[in-house]
Amino acid sequence: QVQLQESGPGLVKPSGTLSLTCAVSGGSISSSNWWSWIRQPPGKGLEWIGEIYHSGSTNYNPSLKSRVTISVDKSKNQFSLKLSSVTAADTAVYYCARISAITVTTIDPWGQGTLVTVSS
Amino acid sequence: QSALTQPRSVSGSPGQSVTISCTGTSSDVGGYNYVSWYQQHPGKAPKLMIYDVSKRPSGVPDRFSGSKSGNTASLTISGLQAEDEADYYCCSYAGSYVVFGGGTKLTVL
């Protein structure tokens, strides 16, 4: 079955850019699904960041839209997140996940998550 | 956009039933039949429990059920078991984006 794995730096400096990649295995990123990033600050709830289709179409959380870029690399079967101008408030566990294009809030499976800390 | 409103905590004894509510607006919960629920144990990734308001993925016990009325969705867990103790999050489509609830901690007494 499809599995997702996040990778990237665990520490980012304030005002810098957070960059993460999600590798998709067991299935094609060109399938009829959206590919999403979701984050969870320590001890807090889930926040949807955005999603991308294999065609390159994207949807972003309006509150983060000005700082977020999600891209897809079909040749490597992976997609990526860039979040600019980060502050301590962006410290969180970042998850990548698959979202059904048909039942648009069916988020499954999820990656294991990766903790990103924003600190100097 | 605001997060959906969930109670911060609920509790119940083994064998009992509990219901977790998730209140939104006509722009999200009330406007679409795209509500899902996730269970999250400490240190783990969330797990899909309910999608499309009331559908269960394969492997999820039928003790878990979902419903919706107006702008409020609900997750009911019947026959509570110790392993049900976890955080639960609702999620709704809001027209080109997705919004989560703040989460509810379920304690099995």
Side-chain angles (χ1 to χ4, degrees):
Chain A
Q1 70 274 23
V2 173
Q3 293 183 312
L4 297 93
Q5 178 67 58
E6 306 90 350
S7 63
L11 181 64
V12 181
K13 295 187 185 303
S15 78
T17 296
L18 180 160
S19 297
L20 295 173
T21 296
C22 181
V24 179
S25 60
S28 173
I29 204 166
S30 295
S31 59
S32 299
N33 296 289
W34 290 81
W35 304 92
S36 180
W37 288 98
I38 296 160
R39 71 181 182 178
Q40 185 172 34
K44 297 188 178 180
L46 300 169
E47 180 178 34
W48 181 79
I49 299 171
E51 63 187 3
I52 190 164
Y53 200 67
H54 60 77
S55 63
S57 295
T58 54
N59 293 307
Y60 295 133
N61 185 322
S63 66
L64 297 170
K65 188 174 184 176
S66 63
R67 300 194 291 131
V68 174
T69 301
I70 298 176
S71 59
V72 65
D73 186 337
K74 289 185 284 186
S75 67
K76 294 183 178 179
N77 219 39
Q78 64 186 32
F79 61 106
S80 299
L81 167 71
K82 290 189 185 298
L83 180 66
S84 63
S85 304
V86 297
T87 69
D90 294 309
T91 293
V93 173
Y94 285 76
Y95 295 100
C96 60
R98 181 182 67 179
I99 299 184
S100 167
I102 301 173
T103 55
V104 294
T105 59
T106 303
I107 308 174
D108 181 68
W110 298 59
Q112 65 183 26
T114 187
L115 175 63
V116 179
T117 301
V118 178
S119 175
S120 55
Chain B
Q1 80 295 357
S2 300
L4 307 175
T5 301
Q6 297 181 232
R8 296 200 65 153
S9 64
V10 297
S11 62
S13 300
Q16 289 186 332
S17 294
V18 294
T19 296
I20 300 171
S21 62
C22 170
T23 301
T25 69
S26 59
S27 297
D28 38 61
V29 175
Y32 308 92
N33 286 323
Y34 294 129
V35 176
S36 53
W37 290 88
Y38 300 86
Q39 176 192 66
Q40 186 179 37
H41 287 109
K44 301 294 187 181
K47 174 187 175 183
L48 175 68
M49 304 302 285
I50 295 287
Y51 68 98
D52 287 0
V53 175
S54 60
K55 297 178 181 177
R56 270 189 320 275
S58 60
V60 173
D62 60 6
R63 303 185 294 103
F64 290 83
S65 62
S67 62
K68 191 186 85 166
S69 178
N71 296 336
T72 298
S74 299
L75 173 70
T76 298
I77 309 170
S78 59
L80 268 179
Q81 299 182 3
E83 58 262 35
D84 298 334
E85 183 162 298
D87 293 326
Y88 290 85
Y89 293 90
C90 61
C91 175
S92 175
Y93 183 64
S96 81
Y97 68 92
V98 170
V99 62
F100 284 99
T104 298
K105 181 175 180 58
L106 168 62
T107 299
V108 180
L109 302 172

